[in-house]
Amino acid sequence: MQLLTLLSIPIIFVSSAFYFIISRPSNVYIFDPTVLHSLTHSALQVHGNNTAAVVSQLVSELSATHPKHVNLDEEWVFNNAGGAMGAMYIIHASLTEYLIIFGTALGTEGHTGRHTADDYFYILQGEELAYAPGVYEPERYPQGSVHHLKRGQVKQYKMDSGCFALEYARGWIPGMLFFGFADTFTSTLDFYTLWRTVWITGREMIGNLMIGKL
Ligand SMILES: *[C@@H]1O[C@H](CO)[C@@H](O)[C@H](O)[C@H]1NC(C)=O
């Protein structure tokens, strides 16, 4: 019991410190949801359904404005979370933000997870459907639209067929990771993918931390 009390002190301290930091956005966040939306619009206008070209334009524009914070290597890994399956390419990961390309060429469906961050899902190809309990009609997010899942909100989501999105999360990112990894232990047992995901995420988070990006 005393040990628990002792342990809770640093946990409360670290959480309050982070809550304080993330409640002052201008100091921490380097990406902007509105700017990301207009970047996806212009990339879609130029390249349409050529999603590989859309992704490559997005990443090169992000890297032009944030040269130190963008991973140019398209290191795709599978991600199983909340019962849904897709693949992702991590463009940026730090303690308070991540930016990935997420999607599937086949379609998938699952639980969004209840997160400690705001999540913006900019549809690049296909369509995403979502709904929250108590609603009888699905929300529809076609190509070019954005699905903003607020911190703490949960929905069921579905991609009927191929769908890819630029996903931006801002908030307390380590709090989201266990959701992102849990299906490995209860379902896929794909520890190689888990290892690669942890390696890439850790490398990006620590790399960013070392240049002063929380
Ligand atoms: C992109 O693909 C969708 C779905 O197949 C189609 O409805 C749309 O017309 C296509 N857009 C262009 C610009 O080809």
Side-chain angles (χ1 to χ4, degrees):
M1 190 58 209
Q2 270 176 345
L3 182 67
L4 272 181
T5 316
L6 270 180
L7 276 177
S8 68
I9 293 169
I11 292 170
I12 290 169
F13 179 78
V14 170
S15 324
S16 333
F18 269 100
Y19 189 78
F20 177 71
I21 291 163
I22 67 177
S23 60
R24 299 153 80 227
S26 56
N27 286 344
V28 206
Y29 301 128
I30 59 172
F31 298 104
D32 178 81
T34 319
V35 172
L36 292 172
H37 202 188
S38 62
L39 284 181
T40 60
H41 270 170
S42 41
L44 285 171
Q45 250 161 22
V46 178
H47 301 291
N49 284 336
N50 182 351
T51 309
V54 169
V55 169
S56 131
Q57 175 171 331
L58 280 174
V59 173
S60 67
E61 281 177 356
L62 287 165
S63 142
T65 48
H66 303 85
K68 293 181 188 153
H69 301 104
V70 164
N71 172 27
L72 295 171
D73 273 345
E74 290 206 20
E75 301 162 293
W76 285 92
V77 282
F78 269 131
N79 185 255
N80 289 72
M85 177 166 185
M88 67 174 175
Y89 153 34
I90 300 175
I91 300 169
H92 170 91
S94 56
L95 292 177
T96 62
E97 290 170 289
Y98 78 64
L99 200 55
I100 66 176
I101 303 293
F102 176 82
T104 157
L106 301 179
T108 192
E109 181 260 320
H111 189 295
T112 57
R114 195 182 291 278
H115 297 301
T116 52
D118 271 82
D119 192 272
Y120 300 84
F121 207 65
Y122 305 91
I123 310 297
L124 305 177
Q125 184 204 110
E127 185 182 52
E128 188 203 21
L129 304 176
Y131 96 104
V135 175
Y136 292 95
E137 297 297 327
E139 300 163 21
R140 291 184 175 274
Y141 299 96
Q143 189 179 47
S145 69
V146 55
H147 178 189
H148 177 195
L149 186 74
K150 297 197 179 81
R151 193 183 305 196
Q153 228 180 9
V154 282
K155 291 179 187 170
Q156 180 181 3
Y157 75 99
K158 183 178 188 186
M159 295 149 159
D160 266 328
S161 56
C163 179
F164 284 88
L166 172 72
E167 181 177 358
Y168 172 56
R170 58 154 61 179
W172 176 231
I173 302 304
M176 300 174 81
L177 297 182
F178 191 66
F179 172 77
F181 298 150
D183 280 12
T184 303
F185 300 95
T186 57
S187 167
T188 70
L189 306 182
D190 180 358
F191 293 104
Y192 177 68
T193 290
L194 177 68
W195 158 246
R196 247 172 76 73
T197 310
V198 169
W199 162 251
I200 298 166
T201 311
R203 185 195 68 205
E204 294 301 307
M205 279 188 169
I206 292 166
N208 277 306
L209 205 54
M210 280 165 55
I211 55 173
K213 168 68 182 83
L214 283 175

